[in-house]
């Protein structure tokens, strides 16, 4: 029988609730999973506790007590970005496995400390939820690049665009210093570039922009789903609050081996809801993925006489992660189950299906984020080596 592992989730927002569903599904979905995660406790804000308890959570509102509870083996940090550092450091000190939401931290210095503390305890999991690694299309793209299917990479284009950041959207932690679009969306795109190509920018030039300079404080937190999603369902309330971060970022960069690339992220692109993707152009072909068509990878093989893109279904034949049947489409919840499954494999010492994003990976993303900010502040190209 599989060993069990007690999981405590910190945060009852969008991610905390998605994760609770995922842990319960792991051992039902993956009957070969060597460890069965069991929901143990959860931290919620007091205003959320009642709803959480009704949906079956053992909800507590003392964050430190939940983290250090002797019965807890594994802490899953689904808190706002500015709270990751404290929660992670306390969890590691208490000897817990840690799965943390992205971005790992708010500053590079924090990320470095978190990575150092985690790597000093190699017996504990340190993983970050760069969730799109768990989508079979991206596992497939990574495999094609590793096999050098199309030769040398020449150009890369990444994007992560959403549309919810209009002027009617109220203030939330996502518009504070710790919550900008670059860390929120750009971090995913940077990690995905590395995951698929194995490369990180070596030099970059960036611009950041804030379209909406102040927003209304909705004076609600946590318990209302629409408010949590920043949709402003209750209409304007409260004071105007200054926005302290970017609505949009653009980056141009160079990669090892001579390729060039660009990355864009924004919350102000109407018509995009969660349009994350990349286009990779090689000497002899191209690969493209877009979350809007999440189960397919587009492949262009320039050696074939008939020119054109192939749209290849990636959840076929149980590729990467088992599917119920070919073409029964995967979505975000499935990727989350895959992520929790991978964490159990790693803790059990079994091979991962595709590499987990470690704190070191997330630290490297933070270094790039810091370089982007510096480039824009100083209006110049910067070398990544100066930020590690
Ligand atoms: N990997 C992904 O695809 C993905 C997607 C969305 C969010 N995220 C990340 O997940 C984390 C949480 O995001 P979310 O969308 O769930 O946020 P959210 O605002 O919906 O929920 C955050 C939760 O944290 C707790 N919280 C909020 N403010 C707090 C405070 N001041 N003190 C104590 N607890 C507080 C509450 O339980 C709240 O419900 C963030 O780091 C975010 O970047 C990741």
């Amino acid at each position: 029988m599989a060993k069990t592992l007690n999981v405590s989730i910190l945060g009852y927002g969008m991610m905390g609730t998605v994760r609770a569903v995922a842990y319960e599904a792991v051992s039902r979905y993956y009957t070969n999973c060597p460890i069965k995660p069991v929901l143990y406790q959860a931290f919620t804000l007091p205003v959320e506790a009642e709803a959480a308890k009704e949906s079956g959570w053992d909800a507590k509102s003392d964050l430190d007590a939940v983290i250090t509870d002797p019965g807890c083996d594994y802490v899953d940090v689904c808190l706002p970005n500015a709270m990751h550092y404290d929660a992670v450091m306390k969890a590691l000190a208490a000897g817990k496995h840690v799965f943390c939401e992205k971005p790992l931290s708010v500053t590079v210095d924090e990320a470095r400390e978190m990575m150092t503390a985690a790597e000093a305890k190699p017996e504990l999991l340190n993983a970050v939820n760069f969730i799109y690694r768990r989508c079979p299309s991206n596992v497939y793209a990574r495999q094609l690049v590793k096999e050098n299917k199309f030769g040398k990479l020449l150009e890369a284009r990444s994007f992560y665009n959403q549309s919810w950041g209009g002027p009617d959207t109220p203030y939330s932690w996502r518009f504070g210093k710790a919550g900008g679009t670059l860390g929120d969306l750009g971090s995913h795109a940077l990690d995905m570039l590395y995951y698929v190509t194995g490369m990180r920018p070596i030099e970059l030039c960036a611009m950041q922009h804030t379209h909406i300079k102040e927003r209304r404080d909705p004076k609600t937190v946590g318990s209302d789903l629409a408010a949590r999603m920043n949709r402003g369902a209750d209409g304007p309330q409260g004071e105007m609050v200054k926005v302290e971060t970017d609505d949009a970022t653009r980056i141009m960069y160079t990669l090892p081996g001579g390729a060039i690339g660009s990355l864009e992220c924004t919350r102000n692109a109407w018509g995009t809801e969660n349009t994350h993707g990349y286009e990779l152009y090689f000497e002899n072909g191209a690969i493209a993925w877009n979350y809007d068509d999440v189960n397919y990878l587009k492949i262009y093989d320039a050696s074939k006489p008939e020119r054109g893109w192939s749209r290849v279904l990636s959840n076929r034949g149980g590729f990467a992660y088992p599917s119920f049947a070919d073409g029964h489409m995967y979505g975000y919840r499935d990727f989350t189950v895959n992520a929790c499954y991978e964490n159990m494999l790693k803790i059990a010492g079994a091979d991962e299906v595709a590499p987990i994003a470690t704190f070191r990976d997330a630290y490297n993303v933070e270094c790039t984020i810091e370089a982007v900010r510096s480039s824009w502040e100083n209006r110049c190209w910067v070398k990544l080596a100066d930020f590690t």
Side-chain angles (χ1 to χ4, degrees), residues 130-206:
F130 285 117
I131 184 75
Y132 302 104
R133 288 185 177 218
R134 310 275 75 93
C135 164
S137 306
N138 296 324
V139 178
Y140 187 39
R142 183 172 183 276
Q143 184 179 308
L144 293 175
V145 176
K146 275 196 105 168
E147 290 167 358
N148 199 24
K149 175 91 177 151
F150 298 122
K152 193 174 152 204
L153 179 67
L154 302 179
E155 297 193 21
R157 178 182 167 237
S158 309
F159 46 90
Y160 199 152
N161 297 334
Q162 297 182 339
S163 56
W164 55 270
D168 294 338
T169 301
Y171 189 85
S172 75
W173 63 264
R174 284 188 156 83
F175 298 105
K177 266 205 171 67
T181 304
L182 174 61
D184 194 13
L185 307 181
S187 64
H188 276 298
L190 287 168
D191 181 70
M192 187 49 58
L193 174 72
Y194 173 69
Y195 177 72
V196 174
T197 69
M199 289 191 265
R200 300 190 177 94
I202 48 176
E203 242 183 324
L204 64 79
C205 178

Side-chain angles (χ1 to χ4, degrees), residues 238-313:
E239 304 297 314
M240 296 306 280
V241 185
K242 191 169 177 306
V243 171
E244 295 172 302
T245 192
D246 63 309
D247 288 323
T249 291
R250 300 284 185 273
I251 313 173
M252 288 191 296
Y253 57 80
T254 60
L255 291 172
I260 61 170
S262 67
L263 187 152
E264 64 183 67
C265 54
T266 178
R267 294 164 172 167
N268 291 92
W270 283 123
T272 71
E273 292 290 335
N274 196 45
T275 300
H276 173 28
Y278 50 81
E279 294 161 10
L280 300 172
Y281 298 99
F282 302 85
E283 285 172 320
N284 305 311
I287 297 172
W289 174 74
N290 188 323
Y291 191 81
D292 291 343
D293 200 16
V294 68
N295 289 283
Y296 291 88
L297 188 67
K298 281 175 65 188
I299 298 173
Y300 190 107
D301 187 341
S303 70
K304 294 219 167 121
E306 63 286 357
R307 290 290 170 97
W309 289 93
S310 309
R311 186 167 162 267
V312 180
L313 181 65

Side-chain angles (χ1 to χ4, degrees), residues 201-206 251-255 259-262 371-372 374-384 386-387:
I202 48 176
E203 242 183 324
L204 64 79
C205 178
I251 313 173
M252 288 191 296
Y253 57 80
T254 60
L255 291 172
I260 61 170
S262 67
V372 166
S374 170
S375 164
W376 176 235
E377 267 166 40
N378 299 300
R379 306 293 199 269
C380 65
W381 280 83
V382 296
K383 289 190 191 329
L384 264 292
D386 294 336
F387 295 87

Side-chain angles (χ1 to χ4, degrees), residues 34-268:
I35 297 180
K36 179 179 179 181
V38 176
L39 291 181
Y40 180 64
Q41 283 183 348
F43 163 79
T44 70
L45 292 171
V47 292
E48 302 165 326
E50 201 179 317
K53 281 179 182 152
E54 264 176 35
S55 60
W57 291 44
D58 183 5
K60 308 263 158 59
S61 293
D62 181 339
L63 185 56
D64 287 2
V66 171
I67 295 171
T68 58
D69 187 295
C72 158
D73 304 309
Y74 172 115
V75 171
D76 187 335
V77 182
C78 297
L79 296 166
N81 304 345
M83 300 176 72
H84 292 183
Y85 171 82
D86 265 3
V88 164
M89 295 302 274
K90 281 177 183 153
L92 289 170
K96 316 295 184 189
H97 299 288
V98 181
F99 188 35
C100 184
E101 262 309 338
K102 47 48 63 177
L104 178 61
S105 63
V106 178
T107 66
V108 176
D109 289 344
E110 279 180 1
R112 189 181 300 107
E113 270 186 66
M114 292 156 99
M115 174 181 75
T116 306
E119 291 181 355
K121 296 194 170 179
E123 70 283 10
L124 300 177
L125 174 81
N126 67 82
V128 178
N129 189 33
F130 285 117
I131 184 75
Y132 302 104
R133 288 185 177 218
R134 310 275 75 93
C135 164
S137 306
N138 296 324
V139 178
Y140 187 39
R142 183 172 183 276
Q143 184 179 308
L144 293 175
V145 176
K146 275 196 105 168
E147 290 167 358
N148 199 24
K149 175 91 177 151
F150 298 122
K152 193 174 152 204
L153 179 67
L154 302 179
E155 297 193 21
R157 178 182 167 237
S158 309
F159 46 90
Y160 199 152
N161 297 334
Q162 297 182 339
S163 56
W164 55 270
D168 294 338
T169 301
Y171 189 85
S172 75
W173 63 264
R174 284 188 156 83
F175 298 105
K177 266 205 171 67
T181 304
L182 174 61
D184 194 13
L185 307 181
S187 64
H188 276 298
L190 287 168
D191 181 70
M192 187 49 58
L193 174 72
Y194 173 69
Y195 177 72
V196 174
T197 69
M199 289 191 265
R200 300 190 177 94
I202 48 176
E203 242 183 324
L204 64 79
C205 178
M207 78 172 290
Q208 300 199 273
H209 191 71
T210 308
H211 297 292
I212 291 114
K213 313 279 189 235
E214 50 178 25
R215 293 175 182 272
R216 237 168 244 290
D217 182 351
K219 300 282 184 227
T220 60
V221 66
S223 57
D224 178 88
L225 181 64
R228 289 204 317 244
M229 295 291 287
N230 306 307
R231 305 274 177 191
D234 297 330
Q237 308 168 43
E239 304 297 314
M240 296 306 280
V241 185
K242 191 169 177 306
V243 171
E244 295 172 302
T245 192
D246 63 309
D247 288 323
T249 291
R250 300 284 185 273
I251 313 173
M252 288 191 296
Y253 57 80
T254 60
L255 291 172
I260 61 170
S262 67
L263 187 152
E264 64 183 67
C265 54
T266 178
R267 294 164 172 167
N268 291 92

